[in-house]
Amino acid sequence: MKLDYAALEALAAVLATGSFDQAARQLGLTQPAISQRIRALEERVGTALVQRGRPSTATKAGARLLRHAEEVGLLEKSLIDDLGGFVPGQDRPVKLAINADSLATWVLPALNDVSGFLYELIVDDQDHSADWLKRGEVSAAITSSPAPVPGCDSFPLGALPYAATCAPAFFEKHFQAGLTVEALSSAPCLTFNRKDGLQARWAKQATGKSIPLPCHFLPSSHGFITAAQLGLGWGMNPIALARDSLAEGSLIELLPDILTTTPLYWQVSRQVAKPLAPLTLALRRRAKRMLLRAD
């Protein structure tokens, strides 16, 4: 039977603190996340592991699993001391937080440049991916902030260029009188999710004012292109993805003179920096070829 060691960590924290809330604070998670991990572990082993109460205590099975978790912790500490960092095994993926547009444009070739790793990719906005590092849930992340997360090294990658695009018919319908505040306030825009501020920042750059934008939420980089071509809305598309559509005329730029870029940084936990050095090198090489220089 394979055990989820993240769930074992949650179990150990609950039994050490006597509280699901305190365990959540200790691990940098939410209380529901701790409860979910414990429930999943109990379902896995087929018995209760925690006697809920104040404090919460271990059942007989829970105490046995706690000893196992402690033994595994000692073994991993010994491995870290011996190797200077945790080397991901062939059956254990490296967890990375990557923004969707990088994943859609240049990251996958970089991952393919390195052999010997499995990957578990978590897609999140570059402005929020550092949170995964802060919680210790990933080994590395592509972020928009150059400031290293505590315990991490930060490497500049370059800037991903974007163009504000829409279908020609959409432009004629909504912007015939120009890219005014009134027009942008009524023309639907495409937004990846509620963390995505690119469209709002571009609109402010174009007009000098903060504008409440009517939004479609569409969490797909390639879907942005298709939706814009169909006339569903306007949106910020990576130029690397939009280049062919712009060349053939199925998309046009709202304001060709405005170049919007998002600076990107590779942040990697120092604990795993050494074994992940080949991946870091591959990402930096690909970024140098695919991204603009960030000044």
mmCIF file of all heavy atoms in Angstrom, residues 37 66 80 92 98 145 193 201-202 243 251 268 285 289:
data_model
loop_
_atom_site.group_PDB
_atom_site.id
_atom_site.type_symbol
_atom_site.label_atom_id
_atom_site.label_comp_id
_atom_site.label_asym_id
_atom_site.label_seq_id
_atom_site.Cartn_x
_atom_site.Cartn_y
_atom_site.Cartn_z
ATOM 1 N N ARG A 37 -6.699 15.981 3.932
ATOM 2 C CA ARG A 37 -5.574 15.041 3.885
ATOM 3 C C ARG A 37 -5.746 13.920 4.902
ATOM 4 O O ARG A 37 -5.463 12.756 4.611
ATOM 5 C CB ARG A 37 -4.262 15.783 4.136
ATOM 6 C CG ARG A 37 -3.870 16.713 2.989
ATOM 7 C CD ARG A 37 -2.515 17.347 3.214
ATOM 8 N NE ARG A 37 -2.163 18.259 2.128
ATOM 9 C CZ ARG A 37 -0.992 18.846 1.988
ATOM 10 N NH1 ARG A 37 -0.046 18.634 2.879
ATOM 11 N NH2 ARG A 37 -0.753 19.657 0.973
ATOM 12 N N LEU A 66 2.115 7.469 12.898
ATOM 13 C CA LEU A 66 2.944 8.587 13.343
ATOM 14 C C LEU A 66 4.398 8.140 13.512
ATOM 15 O O LEU A 66 5.317 8.848 13.098
ATOM 16 C CB LEU A 66 2.415 9.161 14.654
ATOM 17 C CG LEU A 66 3.239 10.297 15.271
ATOM 18 C CD1 LEU A 66 3.302 11.492 14.312
ATOM 19 C CD2 LEU A 66 2.669 10.712 16.608
ATOM 20 N N ILE A 80 19.205 14.141 3.036
ATOM 21 C CA ILE A 80 19.508 15.543 2.744
ATOM 22 C C ILE A 80 20.911 15.888 3.209
ATOM 23 O O ILE A 80 21.680 16.564 2.512
ATOM 24 C CB ILE A 80 18.460 16.449 3.410
ATOM 25 C CG1 ILE A 80 17.121 16.315 2.686
ATOM 26 C CG2 ILE A 80 18.905 17.909 3.389
ATOM 27 C CD1 ILE A 80 15.961 16.931 3.416
ATOM 28 N N ARG A 92 9.079 9.816 -8.433
ATOM 29 C CA ARG A 92 8.555 10.944 -7.657
ATOM 30 C C ARG A 92 8.735 12.220 -8.460
ATOM 31 O O ARG A 92 9.847 12.719 -8.629
ATOM 32 C CB ARG A 92 9.273 11.038 -6.318
ATOM 33 C CG ARG A 92 8.687 12.127 -5.412
ATOM 34 C CD ARG A 92 9.210 11.994 -4.000
ATOM 35 N NE ARG A 92 8.639 13.011 -3.139
ATOM 36 C CZ ARG A 92 8.851 13.084 -1.829
ATOM 37 N NH1 ARG A 92 9.626 12.181 -1.248
ATOM 38 N NH2 ARG A 92 8.302 14.029 -1.109
ATOM 39 N N ILE A 98 4.010 26.984 -12.515
ATOM 40 C CA ILE A 98 4.311 27.646 -13.785
ATOM 41 C C ILE A 98 3.105 28.449 -14.224
ATOM 42 O O ILE A 98 1.970 27.974 -14.136
ATOM 43 C CB ILE A 98 4.658 26.603 -14.884
ATOM 44 C CG1 ILE A 98 5.735 25.621 -14.403
ATOM 45 C CG2 ILE A 98 5.067 27.301 -16.170
ATOM 46 C CD1 ILE A 98 7.097 26.220 -14.237
ATOM 47 N N SER A 145 8.094 38.219 -9.476
ATOM 48 C CA SER A 145 8.840 39.005 -8.493
ATOM 49 C C SER A 145 10.302 38.572 -8.456
ATOM 50 O O SER A 145 10.603 37.381 -8.363
ATOM 51 C CB SER A 145 8.235 38.822 -7.098
ATOM 52 O OG SER A 145 9.058 39.433 -6.111
ATOM 53 N N ASN A 193 -8.344 34.339 -15.215
ATOM 54 C CA ASN A 193 -9.094 34.072 -13.988
ATOM 55 C C ASN A 193 -9.076 35.345 -13.153
ATOM 56 O O ASN A 193 -8.598 36.384 -13.606
ATOM 57 C CB ASN A 193 -8.528 32.870 -13.214
ATOM 58 C CG ASN A 193 -7.069 33.040 -12.841
ATOM 59 O OD1 ASN A 193 -6.572 34.165 -12.690
ATOM 60 N ND2 ASN A 193 -6.346 31.937 -12.705
ATOM 61 N N ARG A 201 -4.427 46.316 -16.431
ATOM 62 C CA ARG A 201 -3.212 47.138 -16.476
ATOM 63 C C ARG A 201 -3.033 47.761 -17.849
ATOM 64 O O ARG A 201 -2.627 48.918 -17.981
ATOM 65 C CB ARG A 201 -1.984 46.296 -16.084
ATOM 66 C CG ARG A 201 -1.932 45.966 -14.611
ATOM 67 C CD ARG A 201 -0.554 45.509 -14.183
ATOM 68 N NE ARG A 201 -0.154 44.242 -14.769
ATOM 69 C CZ ARG A 201 -0.388 43.056 -14.213
ATOM 70 N NH1 ARG A 201 -1.035 42.976 -13.065
ATOM 71 N NH2 ARG A 201 0.027 41.956 -14.796
ATOM 72 N N TRP A 202 -3.332 46.985 -18.903
ATOM 73 C CA TRP A 202 -3.196 47.523 -20.264
ATOM 74 C C TRP A 202 -4.194 48.655 -20.485
ATOM 75 O O TRP A 202 -3.846 49.693 -21.061
ATOM 76 C CB TRP A 202 -3.421 46.418 -21.294
ATOM 77 C CG TRP A 202 -3.238 46.903 -22.707
ATOM 78 C CD1 TRP A 202 -2.091 46.914 -23.430
ATOM 79 C CD2 TRP A 202 -4.251 47.488 -23.545
ATOM 80 N NE1 TRP A 202 -2.319 47.461 -24.676
ATOM 81 C CE2 TRP A 202 -3.634 47.818 -24.770
ATOM 82 C CE3 TRP A 202 -5.608 47.751 -23.381
ATOM 83 C CZ2 TRP A 202 -4.327 48.396 -25.814
ATOM 84 C CZ3 TRP A 202 -6.308 48.342 -24.426
ATOM 85 C CH2 TRP A 202 -5.669 48.655 -25.636
ATOM 86 N N ARG A 243 1.208 35.469 -33.007
ATOM 87 C CA ARG A 243 1.941 35.955 -34.190
ATOM 88 C C ARG A 243 1.296 35.500 -35.501
ATOM 89 O O ARG A 243 1.076 36.311 -36.417
ATOM 90 C CB ARG A 243 3.395 35.474 -34.113
ATOM 91 C CG ARG A 243 4.275 36.020 -35.230
ATOM 92 C CD ARG A 243 5.719 35.617 -35.030
ATOM 93 N NE ARG A 243 6.322 36.328 -33.889
ATOM 94 C CZ ARG A 243 6.720 35.736 -32.768
ATOM 95 N NH1 ARG A 243 6.594 34.430 -32.629
ATOM 96 N NH2 ARG A 243 7.264 36.448 -31.802
ATOM 97 N N LEU A 251 -6.643 38.207 -36.261
ATOM 98 C CA LEU A 251 -6.548 39.068 -35.088
ATOM 99 C C LEU A 251 -5.847 40.353 -35.475
ATOM 100 O O LEU A 251 -4.992 40.357 -36.366
ATOM 101 C CB LEU A 251 -5.764 38.390 -33.954
ATOM 102 C CG LEU A 251 -6.414 37.241 -33.197
ATOM 103 C CD1 LEU A 251 -5.459 36.713 -32.131
ATOM 104 C CD2 LEU A 251 -7.739 37.657 -32.570
ATOM 105 N N VAL A 268 14.004 28.790 -7.142
ATOM 106 C CA VAL A 268 14.177 27.384 -6.795
ATOM 107 C C VAL A 268 14.640 27.271 -5.347
ATOM 108 O O VAL A 268 15.490 28.047 -4.896
ATOM 109 C CB VAL A 268 15.176 26.698 -7.763
ATOM 110 C CG1 VAL A 268 16.526 27.387 -7.760
ATOM 111 C CG2 VAL A 268 15.311 25.215 -7.466
ATOM 112 N N ARG A 285 18.376 28.852 -20.575
ATOM 113 C CA ARG A 285 18.789 28.851 -21.986
ATOM 114 C C ARG A 285 17.591 29.094 -22.904
ATOM 115 O O ARG A 285 17.659 29.889 -23.849
ATOM 116 C CB ARG A 285 19.452 27.524 -22.325
ATOM 117 C CG ARG A 285 20.894 27.411 -21.836
ATOM 118 C CD ARG A 285 21.441 26.023 -22.125
ATOM 119 N NE ARG A 285 22.871 25.947 -21.843
ATOM 120 C CZ ARG A 285 23.557 24.810 -21.812
ATOM 121 N NH1 ARG A 285 22.949 23.650 -22.048
ATOM 122 N NH2 ARG A 285 24.853 24.813 -21.551
ATOM 123 N N ARG A 289 16.438 32.523 -25.424
ATOM 124 C CA ARG A 289 16.089 32.457 -26.839
ATOM 125 C C ARG A 289 14.681 32.982 -27.119
ATOM 126 O O ARG A 289 14.418 33.535 -28.199
ATOM 127 C CB ARG A 289 16.189 31.016 -27.331
ATOM 128 C CG ARG A 289 17.608 30.485 -27.384
ATOM 129 C CD ARG A 289 17.647 28.968 -27.540
ATOM 130 N NE ARG A 289 16.889 28.504 -28.691
ATOM 131 C CZ ARG A 289 16.701 27.222 -28.984
ATOM 132 N NH1 ARG A 289 17.215 26.281 -28.199
ATOM 133 N NH2 ARG A 289 16.014 26.876 -30.041
#
